[in-house]
Structures are given as C-alpha cells and as structure tokens.
Amino acid sequence: MFRCQRLSGDTVPWGHEEGVGLKVLVAGGGGREHSLAIALVASPTVAEVHLCPGNAGTSLIATNHDISADDVDAVISLAEQLNVDLVVVGPEAPLVNGLADILRQRGIACFGPDADNAMLEGSKLRAKQAMSNNDVPTAEYQILRSDSDIDSALDAYSNHPWVVKRDVLAGGKGVVVTTDRHEAREAILAAIESDGEVLLEAFLSGEEASMLVMMDESAFVCLPASQDHKRLGDGDSGPNTGGMGAYAPAPVFTDEVRRKTIERIVKPMHEDLRNSENPYRGVLYVGLMIDSESDPYVVEFNVRFGDPECQITLPLIETDLAQHLFAAAQGRLAEEEVRFLDSHCLTVVLAAEGYPGTVVKGRRISGIGLRSQDGEHSSASWINHAGTAFVDGELVSTGGRVLSATGMAPSLREACEAAYHLIAKIELEGSQHRSDIGYRAL
Ligand code: AMP
Ligand code: GLY
C-alpha cells in the first residue's frame, strides 16, 4: 500500500541532535489530537509530548497546557517556552490564521500548511480555483452574489438536489444539500447576506471516501483511504455531524480508484502545492465522491487530519509517525520510508445528549479502563478521548463528541466487534452513538 513519490534529491539538513529525542507540541484537544499523542508517545524518537489544550485522555500519557489551539499567539509563546522541536497542528482555524507561518519564521518546525495554502479549506472558492487550474475533477459550480441570480442558478441545477456551500470556515456546517427549493433559496440568501457570496454546486452522486496525503516539497505519501459517517443516525439518517465513526481501509477505494485519484488529483495538486510560495508541509485531506464508473471527484479539501479519520488511519502506520511528521515539517519527507500494517481499524463516536445541536456537558463518564490508555495500543481496542476532562478526579464530558471506541484487527468485522464491545461498557447519561459504523463495507 506504500505510495511515496520521490521528486527531489535535495534534502533539508537534519536539524535535530540524534539520540536526544524530539519534544513535540500538538495543538488541539479532540479525538484526532489524542490519536496523534498516542502515536507520538509510542515513538522511540520522541522524548516529550505536550498538548494545548489536550483532553483527559492526553493528560494520562502526555502534558496538557490550558491554552486554546485557536489562540495563535499563546500557542507560539508556549512552543518557544517549551523549546519544542516540532509543532503538529490539529485543527484548521489556527492554520488559516497563520500559526504555521509564524512558527517557521521563528525557526520552529511545524506540521501544517501556511495561511495561504490553508485557504484550500478556508475558502471553497479558492479550492475550486485551485482544482480548475490543475484540471482536477470536481463538481461544476456557480458563484452567486445577488438575489437576482438565484432563480436562474437554481433552475440550472434543478434535476438533482441542490448543494449550497458557504465560502467561509464554517466548522463543517457550511454546506446544505437539499431537494427543497425553498430551503436552498433561504440558504443562498442567508449566505449572501452574511458572506457577500455563496457557491451553488452540481450534485455528485456515488460513494464518499477520503484520503489523507502527507506532503511537502520533496514527496507525498498517501495514507490508507477511509470512510466517515457524517450523519447522526443509523442508515445515514438525521442531521450532519462532524463525523460519528469511520473505518479504514475503505473497500470502495479499489486499486483502480486509488490509481485514478493519485494520477488525476494528488499528483497535480502536489505539483502545485510544492511549488507555491511556501511549499505545503502537512497533510491534505482529499474528500472524494466515487461514481459508478469508479471515477473520483473532489468534494472538498481540508488542510489537516480528519476527525475521526485520523483515529483510524494513524494506527495503520507501521513506521515512526514522529519521524514522518518531523521530516515533512522540514521538507525532507522523501527521505522517509512509510509502511502500513495489513490491518483494519474502525472507530465509533460517542456523542453527548443534544449533539449536533446544543449539548449537555459536565456529565460523569464511567466504564472506561483509564489505565489501559497508556499509549501502547497493540491491543485490539482502545478509547480516543475528545470532549473529556478530569474534574475533582472524576471523568466528565465537556463537548459534543465525547470520545470514540476504536478497534483494530486483521479483518474489518473483527475491528468493528472490538470497537462495539468496548463502547458497550461506557456509561454517559443521554449519550448517543451509531450502531452501524462500517455497514457499507460489511
Ligand atoms: P463539504 O463540507 O464540502 O465536505 O460538504 C459536506 C458534505 O456535503 C459532504 O461530505 C457531502 O456529503 C456533501 N456534499 C458536498 N458537496 C457535494 C456535492 N457536490 N454533491 C453531493 N454531495 C455533496
Ligand atoms: N470528518 C470530517 C472532517 O474532519 O472534516
């Protein structure tokens, strides 16, 4: 499954004294960042792992600092104060706000793109323009800026559901897909009023999958493709969420789909991004719709690891993640050999009462074997904490997606059973989780 495109013989000097061990700061506090921390703590080349702000799970294996990942100035001060070798940025907002740019200016290696490249996620229009410049397959679209454009645009895309996309960072809530003309119209009007413009996109049908691609100017590495479950309810019903579960590798991502994705999407985007003013150093999340002809189309780009895709992709990396991230942050990913395990991984998210709307927080969580979360996830299942904290020694919920139970096994079915076995033990009043994660593949 290894894909590494070596493009340049040039290497950036190894900036770290061998044998001393890396000091790493992870910005963020969700399940994604817990999975990063687990992998980093397990690395033989890492000496210290810090998180800002982290969560209850990360506090058991690393050092948390009470600083929001969105507070760019405070994260930079912390990185300098701790004298870290590497900062790994979880969420997109600090990237769009220039965290990586400033860290690099201060001589600190950062895994995460600069603000300009982060606009691939920060602006849907920018992503569309990049795709068009690089002949990358995606849905057609129109930009609407005035009320008078709306009806003709709705007519032009009327034989399928309408896809309305805001052109701002909306935390996963900027897209409306609907067959209700009135709802589409209202979404367009609201977006024009708040943002000045909005995209109306042609509907793509098929099956969704996503691929995380680590890259820098020297190389790209495609990680095993995954499938996320965005809807709250079983059978992909109910409202959209940040993701209720995921699994990898996704069988819909056949060798043919992989080949087409690399040739038509990853290579041209990488060629563009490695030659941008500041070469892209981080992970590009390629969200895809795969049609009945096995042709992939880009639905979205994100400039970070997906959550929960990260939780089920990192465990499939056999080699040293810390070294891969550090190398990419320094522009020498081509030096790395990245290998994957022949395994399957699946995670089931446990969300708080009310999610994805207003959630009930501060409830006690029980049933988790806390001591088993020691970074050694060679066992078949473990918990990725997300919205959790210790309050007066008790584990309580602090967010919408509270945690996820992750299983890993030689088959997807066994990974699924391991994850569900674990989640069945957890008690959190009012909590919700899907009972059918992985059903498309199983
Ligand atoms: P995005 O934030 O762009 O990933 O959109 C959120 C979700 O809306 C995607 O995961 C898809 O399920 C759906 N979606 C977005 N764009 C399209 C499209 N052009 N056709 C069909 N579904 C889409
Ligand atoms: N799970 C989708 C995302 O991270 O954007």
Side-chain angles (χ1 to χ4, degrees):
M1 253 189 286
F2 170 60
R3 295 282 186 284
C4 182
Q5 206 69 21
R6 282 169 201 272
L7 292 171
S8 148
D10 302 340
T11 56
V12 175
W14 172 252
H16 173 67
E17 228 183 294
E18 263 187 286
V20 173
L22 292 173
K23 259 192 188 186
V24 188
L25 172 63
V26 178
R32 166 180 52 207
E33 288 77 17
H34 190 200
S35 69
L36 281 161
I38 290 172
L40 291 169
V41 166
S43 161
T45 51
V46 169
E48 290 176 30
V49 179
H50 297 262
L51 292 102
C52 57
N55 55 41
T58 65
S59 76
L60 296 170
I61 58 170
T63 308
N64 284 355
H65 300 266
D66 191 13
I67 286 171
S68 162
D70 290 341
D71 187 344
V72 170
D73 292 338
V75 175
I76 292 161
S77 300
L78 179 66
E80 289 186 321
Q81 187 194 320
L82 294 169
N83 195 23
V84 296
D85 300 288
L86 172 67
V87 177
V88 180
V89 185
E92 63 281 8
L95 292 168
V96 170
N97 291 326
L99 176 58
D101 308 58
I102 305 174
L103 287 167
R104 285 189 191 116
Q105 281 160 18
R106 308 256 173 113
I108 301 171
C110 176
F111 185 86
D114 60 294
D116 186 57
N117 279 324
M119 287 307 283
L120 279 180
E121 178 167 357
S123 162
K124 300 277 186 198
L125 186 53
R126 167 69 179 274
K128 285 292 194 190
Q129 285 161 347
M131 286 185 257
S132 152
N133 293 342
N134 294 295
D135 289 328
V136 166
T138 185
E140 285 175 30
Y141 69 101
Q142 290 188 19
I143 308 163
L144 306 177
R145 296 196 171 95
S146 121
D147 299 7
S148 58
D149 302 337
I150 299 177
D151 282 310
S152 58
L154 288 173
D155 289 344
Y157 293 119
S158 61
N159 45 1
H160 286 296
W162 288 285
V163 181
V164 180
K165 293 193 173 181
R166 289 184 64 195
D167 192 30
V168 292
L169 264 192
K173 297 189 180 107
V175 178
V176 174
V177 181
T178 179
T179 51
D180 180 338
R181 190 177 174 109
H182 177 71
E183 192 189 350
R185 203 168 200 292
E186 290 299 304
I188 292 169
L189 277 172
I192 292 177
E193 196 173 314
S194 68
D195 314 328
E197 60 186 12
V198 65
L199 275 71
L200 184 67
E201 200 174 277
F203 181 79
L204 296 168
S205 51
E207 203 169 327
E208 283 189 81
S210 48
M211 189 160 74
L212 298 167
V213 186
M214 285 198 283
M215 63 168 75
D216 67 8
E217 57 269 48
S218 72
F220 66 80
V221 178
C222 299
L223 305 186
S226 57
Q227 210 160 27
D228 178 17
H229 295 61
K230 289 204 164 84
R231 301 291 189 132
L232 181 71
D234 282 358
D236 294 324
S237 60
N240 253 319
T241 70
M244 294 301 290
Y247 60 96
V252 64
F253 220 80
T254 58
D255 286 347
E256 182 190 356
V257 174
R258 173 173 287 274
R259 187 178 47 73
K260 288 176 176 171
T261 302
I262 290 173
E263 286 305 318
R264 298 174 188 176
I265 298 164
V266 178
K267 277 189 184 171
M269 286 309 298
H270 179 241
E271 194 54 27
D272 186 358
L273 296 172
R274 69 188 282 262
N275 288 307
S276 59
E277 192 181 340
N278 295 300
Y280 193 105
R281 294 178 177 177
V283 64
L284 184 70
Y285 172 120
V286 183
L288 296 165
M289 189 71 79
I290 297 152
D291 74 6
S292 53
E293 311 284 300
S294 295
D295 285 322
Y297 292 82
V298 175
V299 172
E300 65 168 337
F301 287 131
N302 294 324
V303 297
R304 51 171 175 80
F305 288 109
D307 187 340
E309 291 89 337
C310 187
Q311 290 88 308
I312 43 98
T313 306
L314 298 190
L316 298 177
I317 300 177
E318 184 182 3
T319 39
D320 187 344
L321 179 75
Q323 291 302 322
H324 305 330
L325 300 182
F326 192 43
Q330 294 181 318
R332 47 180 189 80
L333 184 59
E335 289 174 17
E336 295 290 298
E337 188 194 351
V338 186
R339 288 192 309 274
F340 302 105
L341 296 166
D342 187 16
S343 243
H344 295 257
C345 209
L346 180 146
T347 199
V348 183
V349 170
L350 186 87
E353 182 177 345
Y355 183 78
T358 309
V359 299
V360 182
K361 298 181 188 174
R363 282 193 174 146
R364 187 165 174 268
I365 306 162
S366 59
I368 298 183
L370 292 173
R371 290 207 172 272
S372 69
Q373 299 311 302
D374 59 3
E376 290 178 29
H377 58 264
S378 54
S379 60
S381 61
W382 61 92
I383 295 292
N384 288 116
H385 286 245
T388 62
F390 286 113
V391 176
D392 299 329
E394 277 210 299
L395 185 65
V396 297
S397 62
T398 59
R401 287 189 291 176
V402 176
L403 52 79
S404 72
T406 306
M408 185 160 144
S411 73
L412 184 63
R413 185 168 298 283
E414 290 164 290
C416 183
E417 282 166 8
Y420 275 105
H421 184 71
L422 190 58
I423 209 161
K425 296 180 184 165
I426 295 166
E427 283 171 32
L428 168 64
E429 190 191 335
S431 68
Q432 353 168 29
H433 68 266
R434 279 183 62 162
S435 66
D436 64 347
I437 301 300
Y439 80 95
R440 280 180 194 276
L442 291 167

PDB file of all heavy atoms in Angstrom, residues 353-380:
ATOM      1  N   GLU A 353     -25.643  14.096  24.807  1.00  0.00           N
ATOM      2  CA  GLU A 353     -27.057  14.402  24.573  1.00  0.00           C
ATOM      3  C   GLU A 353     -27.170  15.773  23.899  1.00  0.00           C
ATOM      4  O   GLU A 353     -26.483  16.720  24.290  1.00  0.00           O
ATOM      5  CB  GLU A 353     -27.805  14.429  25.911  1.00  0.00           C
ATOM      6  CG  GLU A 353     -29.282  14.700  25.757  1.00  0.00           C
ATOM      7  CD  GLU A 353     -30.039  14.653  27.087  1.00  0.00           C
ATOM      8  OE1 GLU A 353     -29.488  14.141  28.085  1.00  0.00           O
ATOM      9  OE2 GLU A 353     -31.174  15.147  27.107  1.00  0.00           O
ATOM     10  N   GLY A 354     -27.983  15.854  22.850  1.00  0.00           N
ATOM     11  CA  GLY A 354     -28.196  17.140  22.167  1.00  0.00           C
ATOM     12  C   GLY A 354     -27.352  17.318  20.921  1.00  0.00           C
ATOM     13  O   GLY A 354     -27.693  18.109  20.048  1.00  0.00           O
ATOM     14  N   TYR A 355     -26.233  16.572  20.824  1.00  0.00           N
ATOM     15  CA  TYR A 355     -25.355  16.711  19.668  1.00  0.00           C
ATOM     16  C   TYR A 355     -26.109  16.343  18.392  1.00  0.00           C
ATOM     17  O   TYR A 355     -26.874  15.412  18.417  1.00  0.00           O
ATOM     18  CB  TYR A 355     -24.138  15.788  19.846  1.00  0.00           C
ATOM     19  CG  TYR A 355     -23.118  15.900  18.735  1.00  0.00           C
ATOM     20  CD1 TYR A 355     -22.234  16.957  18.683  1.00  0.00           C
ATOM     21  CD2 TYR A 355     -23.072  14.941  17.718  1.00  0.00           C
ATOM     22  CE1 TYR A 355     -21.303  17.065  17.659  1.00  0.00           C
ATOM     23  CE2 TYR A 355     -22.142  15.045  16.685  1.00  0.00           C
ATOM     24  CZ  TYR A 355     -21.266  16.114  16.665  1.00  0.00           C
ATOM     25  OH  TYR A 355     -20.355  16.223  15.655  1.00  0.00           O
ATOM     26  N   PRO A 356     -25.965  17.025  17.259  1.00  0.00           N
ATOM     27  CA  PRO A 356     -25.035  18.123  16.986  1.00  0.00           C
ATOM     28  C   PRO A 356     -25.586  19.510  17.313  1.00  0.00           C
ATOM     29  O   PRO A 356     -24.987  20.498  16.894  1.00  0.00           O
ATOM     30  CB  PRO A 356     -24.788  17.979  15.479  1.00  0.00           C
ATOM     31  CG  PRO A 356     -26.096  17.466  14.951  1.00  0.00           C
ATOM     32  CD  PRO A 356     -26.683  16.611  16.039  1.00  0.00           C
ATOM     33  N   GLY A 357     -26.666  19.586  18.047  1.00  0.00           N
ATOM     34  CA  GLY A 357     -27.189  20.896  18.473  1.00  0.00           C
ATOM     35  C   GLY A 357     -26.530  21.288  19.792  1.00  0.00           C
ATOM     36  O   GLY A 357     -25.372  20.962  20.054  1.00  0.00           O
ATOM     37  N   THR A 358     -27.298  21.945  20.637  1.00  0.00           N
ATOM     38  CA  THR A 358     -26.773  22.361  21.942  1.00  0.00           C
ATOM     39  C   THR A 358     -26.597  21.129  22.818  1.00  0.00           C
ATOM     40  O   THR A 358     -27.547  20.358  22.998  1.00  0.00           O
ATOM     41  CB  THR A 358     -27.768  23.327  22.616  1.00  0.00           C
ATOM     42  OG1 THR A 358     -28.062  24.343  21.667  1.00  0.00           O
ATOM     43  CG2 THR A 358     -27.188  23.936  23.871  1.00  0.00           C
ATOM     44  N   VAL A 359     -25.403  20.931  23.333  1.00  0.00           N
ATOM     45  CA  VAL A 359     -25.138  19.676  24.051  1.00  0.00           C
ATOM     46  C   VAL A 359     -25.141  19.870  25.560  1.00  0.00           C
ATOM     47  O   VAL A 359     -24.891  20.957  26.060  1.00  0.00           O
ATOM     48  CB  VAL A 359     -23.793  19.029  23.624  1.00  0.00           C
ATOM     49  CG1 VAL A 359     -23.799  18.690  22.162  1.00  0.00           C
ATOM     50  CG2 VAL A 359     -22.611  19.913  23.972  1.00  0.00           C
ATOM     51  N   VAL A 360     -25.436  18.759  26.245  1.00  0.00           N
ATOM     52  CA  VAL A 360     -25.370  18.746  27.706  1.00  0.00           C
ATOM     53  C   VAL A 360     -23.947  18.355  28.082  1.00  0.00           C
ATOM     54  O   VAL A 360     -23.443  17.317  27.654  1.00  0.00           O
ATOM     55  CB  VAL A 360     -26.359  17.707  28.282  1.00  0.00           C
ATOM     56  CG1 VAL A 360     -26.324  17.744  29.810  1.00  0.00           C
ATOM     57  CG2 VAL A 360     -27.765  17.946  27.754  1.00  0.00           C
ATOM     58  N   LYS A 361     -23.289  19.210  28.861  1.00  0.00           N
ATOM     59  CA  LYS A 361     -21.905  18.929  29.260  1.00  0.00           C
ATOM     60  C   LYS A 361     -21.823  18.676  30.761  1.00  0.00           C
ATOM     61  O   LYS A 361     -22.787  18.914  31.491  1.00  0.00           O
ATOM     62  CB  LYS A 361     -21.011  20.130  28.922  1.00  0.00           C
ATOM     63  CG  LYS A 361     -20.958  20.443  27.444  1.00  0.00           C
ATOM     64  CD  LYS A 361     -20.038  21.633  27.187  1.00  0.00           C
ATOM     65  CE  LYS A 361     -20.146  22.058  25.729  1.00  0.00           C
ATOM     66  NZ  LYS A 361     -19.399  23.273  25.440  1.00  0.00           N
ATOM     67  N   GLY A 362     -20.667  18.243  31.201  1.00  0.00           N
ATOM     68  CA  GLY A 362     -20.410  18.106  32.644  1.00  0.00           C
ATOM     69  C   GLY A 362     -20.977  16.848  33.255  1.00  0.00           C
ATOM     70  O   GLY A 362     -21.091  16.751  34.475  1.00  0.00           O
ATOM     71  N   ARG A 363     -21.335  15.866  32.425  1.00  0.00           N
ATOM     72  CA  ARG A 363     -21.866  14.610  32.993  1.00  0.00           C
ATOM     73  C   ARG A 363     -20.745  13.612  33.207  1.00  0.00           C
ATOM     74  O   ARG A 363     -19.796  13.548  32.420  1.00  0.00           O
ATOM     75  CB  ARG A 363     -22.903  14.013  32.043  1.00  0.00           C
ATOM     76  CG  ARG A 363     -24.231  14.733  32.157  1.00  0.00           C
ATOM     77  CD  ARG A 363     -25.332  13.960  31.478  1.00  0.00           C
ATOM     78  NE  ARG A 363     -26.606  14.604  31.739  1.00  0.00           N
ATOM     79  CZ  ARG A 363     -27.606  14.637  30.882  1.00  0.00           C
ATOM     80  NH1 ARG A 363     -27.488  14.051  29.694  1.00  0.00           N
ATOM     81  NH2 ARG A 363     -28.733  15.212  31.202  1.00  0.00           N
ATOM     82  N   ARG A 364     -20.924  12.792  34.226  1.00  0.00           N
ATOM     83  CA  ARG A 364     -19.916  11.820  34.596  1.00  0.00           C
ATOM     84  C   ARG A 364     -19.875  10.680  33.569  1.00  0.00           C
ATOM     85  O   ARG A 364     -20.911  10.216  33.096  1.00  0.00           O
ATOM     86  CB  ARG A 364     -20.281  11.269  35.978  1.00  0.00           C
ATOM     87  CG  ARG A 364     -19.250  10.388  36.559  1.00  0.00           C
ATOM     88  CD  ARG A 364     -19.497  10.180  38.056  1.00  0.00           C
ATOM     89  NE  ARG A 364     -18.535   9.189  38.508  1.00  0.00           N
ATOM     90  CZ  ARG A 364     -18.778   7.889  38.554  1.00  0.00           C
ATOM     91  NH1 ARG A 364     -19.965   7.423  38.229  1.00  0.00           N
ATOM     92  NH2 ARG A 364     -17.838   7.053  38.954  1.00  0.00           N
ATOM     93  N   ILE A 365     -18.672  10.253  33.240  1.00  0.00           N
ATOM     94  CA  ILE A 365     -18.485   9.128  32.309  1.00  0.00           C
ATOM     95  C   ILE A 365     -17.892   7.977  33.105  1.00  0.00           C
ATOM     96  O   ILE A 365     -16.903   8.158  33.811  1.00  0.00           O
ATOM     97  CB  ILE A 365     -17.485   9.491  31.184  1.00  0.00           C
ATOM     98  CG1 ILE A 365     -17.899  10.776  30.474  1.00  0.00           C
ATOM     99  CG2 ILE A 365     -17.335   8.350  30.191  1.00  0.00           C
ATOM    100  CD1 ILE A 365     -16.766  11.422  29.677  1.00  0.00           C
ATOM    101  N   SER A 366     -18.469   6.804  32.979  1.00  0.00           N
ATOM    102  CA  SER A 366     -17.880   5.657  33.677  1.00  0.00           C
ATOM    103  C   SER A 366     -17.762   4.479  32.722  1.00  0.00           C
ATOM    104  O   SER A 366     -18.314   4.478  31.623  1.00  0.00           O
ATOM    105  CB  SER A 366     -18.730   5.280  34.900  1.00  0.00           C
ATOM    106  OG  SER A 366     -20.033   4.965  34.474  1.00  0.00           O
ATOM    107  N   GLY A 367     -16.999   3.503  33.161  1.00  0.00           N
ATOM    108  CA  GLY A 367     -16.844   2.279  32.365  1.00  0.00           C
ATOM    109  C   GLY A 367     -15.588   2.250  31.524  1.00  0.00           C
ATOM    110  O   GLY A 367     -15.354   1.294  30.784  1.00  0.00           O
ATOM    111  N   ILE A 368     -14.774   3.294  31.617  1.00  0.00           N
ATOM    112  CA  ILE A 368     -13.544   3.304  30.822  1.00  0.00           C
ATOM    113  C   ILE A 368     -12.391   2.814  31.685  1.00  0.00           C
ATOM    114  O   ILE A 368     -12.184   3.314  32.784  1.00  0.00           O
ATOM    115  CB  ILE A 368     -13.201   4.728  30.339  1.00  0.00           C
ATOM    116  CG1 ILE A 368     -14.308   5.248  29.446  1.00  0.00           C
ATOM    117  CG2 ILE A 368     -11.864   4.737  29.606  1.00  0.00           C
ATOM    118  CD1 ILE A 368     -14.024   6.607  28.871  1.00  0.00           C
ATOM    119  N   GLY A 369     -11.668   1.842  31.179  1.00  0.00           N
ATOM    120  CA  GLY A 369     -10.459   1.381  31.862  1.00  0.00           C
ATOM    121  C   GLY A 369      -9.358   2.396  31.602  1.00  0.00           C
ATOM    122  O   GLY A 369      -8.631   2.297  30.630  1.00  0.00           O
ATOM    123  N   LEU A 370      -9.287   3.411  32.438  1.00  0.00           N
ATOM    124  CA  LEU A 370      -8.374   4.524  32.158  1.00  0.00           C
ATOM    125  C   LEU A 370      -6.930   4.074  32.028  1.00  0.00           C
ATOM    126  O   LEU A 370      -6.201   4.559  31.182  1.00  0.00           O
ATOM    127  CB  LEU A 370      -8.486   5.569  33.264  1.00  0.00           C
ATOM    128  CG  LEU A 370      -9.819   6.308  33.314  1.00  0.00           C
ATOM    129  CD1 LEU A 370      -9.864   7.192  34.538  1.00  0.00           C
ATOM    130  CD2 LEU A 370     -10.036   7.102  32.056  1.00  0.00           C
ATOM    131  N   ARG A 371      -6.545   3.133  32.851  1.00  0.00           N
ATOM    132  CA  ARG A 371      -5.136   2.763  32.866  1.00  0.00           C
ATOM    133  C   ARG A 371      -4.705   2.052  31.591  1.00  0.00           C
ATOM    134  O   ARG A 371      -3.524   1.941  31.326  1.00  0.00           O
ATOM    135  CB  ARG A 371      -4.820   1.899  34.088  1.00  0.00           C
ATOM    136  CG  ARG A 371      -4.896   2.686  35.360  1.00  0.00           C
ATOM    137  CD  ARG A 371      -3.999   2.116  36.450  1.00  0.00           C
ATOM    138  NE  ARG A 371      -3.988   3.033  37.576  1.00  0.00           N
ATOM    139  CZ  ARG A 371      -3.140   4.039  37.672  1.00  0.00           C
ATOM    140  NH1 ARG A 371      -2.239   4.249  36.744  1.00  0.00           N
ATOM    141  NH2 ARG A 371      -3.195   4.841  38.714  1.00  0.00           N
ATOM    142  N   SER A 372      -5.663   1.574  30.834  1.00  0.00           N
ATOM    143  CA  SER A 372      -5.279   0.902  29.594  1.00  0.00           C
ATOM    144  C   SER A 372      -4.886   1.913  28.511  1.00  0.00           C
ATOM    145  O   SER A 372      -4.328   1.557  27.500  1.00  0.00           O
ATOM    146  CB  SER A 372      -6.415   0.016  29.077  1.00  0.00           C
ATOM    147  OG  SER A 372      -7.460   0.850  28.637  1.00  0.00           O
ATOM    148  N   GLN A 373      -5.169   3.188  28.766  1.00  0.00           N
ATOM    149  CA  GLN A 373      -4.824   4.214  27.756  1.00  0.00           C
ATOM    150  C   GLN A 373      -3.414   4.714  28.002  1.00  0.00           C
ATOM    151  O   GLN A 373      -3.194   5.846  28.376  1.00  0.00           O
ATOM    152  CB  GLN A 373      -5.824   5.365  27.824  1.00  0.00           C
ATOM    153  CG  GLN A 373      -7.227   4.924  27.541  1.00  0.00           C
ATOM    154  CD  GLN A 373      -7.299   4.078  26.286  1.00  0.00           C
ATOM    155  OE1 GLN A 373      -6.904   4.525  25.225  1.00  0.00           O
ATOM    156  NE2 GLN A 373      -7.762   2.847  26.393  1.00  0.00           N
ATOM    157  N   ASP A 374      -2.451   3.847  27.827  1.00  0.00           N
ATOM    158  CA  ASP A 374      -1.070   4.226  28.136  1.00  0.00           C
ATOM    159  C   ASP A 374      -0.232   4.364  26.876  1.00  0.00           C
ATOM    160  O   ASP A 374       0.984   4.358  26.943  1.00  0.00           O
ATOM    161  CB  ASP A 374      -0.454   3.202  29.084  1.00  0.00           C
ATOM    162  CG  ASP A 374      -0.468   1.817  28.488  1.00  0.00           C
ATOM    163  OD1 ASP A 374      -0.905   1.677  27.327  1.00  0.00           O
ATOM    164  OD2 ASP A 374      -0.042   0.878  29.153  1.00  0.00           O
ATOM    165  N   GLY A 375      -0.882   4.494  25.744  1.00  0.00           N
ATOM    166  CA  GLY A 375      -0.122   4.698  24.516  1.00  0.00           C
ATOM    167  C   GLY A 375       0.254   3.404  23.832  1.00  0.00           C
ATOM    168  O   GLY A 375       0.630   3.408  22.674  1.00  0.00           O
ATOM    169  N   GLU A 376       0.164   2.294  24.526  1.00  0.00           N
ATOM    170  CA  GLU A 376       0.504   1.026  23.876  1.00  0.00           C
ATOM    171  C   GLU A 376      -0.762   0.423  23.305  1.00  0.00           C
ATOM    172  O   GLU A 376      -1.415  -0.383  23.943  1.00  0.00           O
ATOM    173  CB  GLU A 376       1.085   0.061  24.904  1.00  0.00           C
ATOM    174  CG  GLU A 376       2.456   0.481  25.383  1.00  0.00           C
ATOM    175  CD  GLU A 376       2.972  -0.485  26.451  1.00  0.00           C
ATOM    176  OE1 GLU A 376       2.594  -1.660  26.422  1.00  0.00           O
ATOM    177  OE2 GLU A 376       3.724  -0.007  27.306  1.00  0.00           O
ATOM    178  N   HIS A 377      -1.132   0.842  22.108  1.00  0.00           N
ATOM    179  CA  HIS A 377      -2.397   0.338  21.581  1.00  0.00           C
ATOM    180  C   HIS A 377      -2.162  -0.880  20.694  1.00  0.00           C
ATOM    181  O   HIS A 377      -2.737  -0.999  19.623  1.00  0.00           O
ATOM    182  CB  HIS A 377      -3.189   1.435  20.884  1.00  0.00           C
ATOM    183  CG  HIS A 377      -2.464   2.085  19.759  1.00  0.00           C
ATOM    184  ND1 HIS A 377      -1.783   3.243  19.902  1.00  0.00           N
ATOM    185  CD2 HIS A 377      -2.319   1.710  18.476  1.00  0.00           C
ATOM    186  CE1 HIS A 377      -1.244   3.571  18.743  1.00  0.00           C
ATOM    187  NE2 HIS A 377      -1.557   2.658  17.868  1.00  0.00           N
ATOM    188  N   SER A 378      -1.304  -1.787  21.144  1.00  0.00           N
ATOM    189  CA  SER A 378      -1.135  -3.027  20.397  1.00  0.00           C
ATOM    190  C   SER A 378      -2.356  -3.918  20.616  1.00  0.00           C
ATOM    191  O   SER A 378      -2.617  -4.830  19.847  1.00  0.00           O
ATOM    192  CB  SER A 378       0.128  -3.743  20.841  1.00  0.00           C
ATOM    193  OG  SER A 378       0.077  -3.916  22.234  1.00  0.00           O
ATOM    194  N   SER A 379      -3.122  -3.632  21.678  1.00  0.00           N
ATOM    195  CA  SER A 379      -4.331  -4.397  21.941  1.00  0.00           C
ATOM    196  C   SER A 379      -5.366  -4.081  20.869  1.00  0.00           C
ATOM    197  O   SER A 379      -5.204  -3.154  20.095  1.00  0.00           O
ATOM    198  CB  SER A 379      -4.868  -4.051  23.315  1.00  0.00           C
ATOM    199  OG  SER A 379      -5.161  -2.685  23.342  1.00  0.00           O
ATOM    200  N   ALA A 380      -6.437  -4.855  20.881  1.00  0.00           N
ATOM    201  CA  ALA A 380      -7.402  -4.755  19.798  1.00  0.00           C
ATOM    202  C   ALA A 380      -8.321  -3.552  19.904  1.00  0.00           C
ATOM    203  O   ALA A 380      -8.970  -3.202  18.945  1.00  0.00           O
ATOM    204  CB  ALA A 380      -8.217  -6.034  19.738  1.00  0.00           C
TER     205      ALA A 380
END
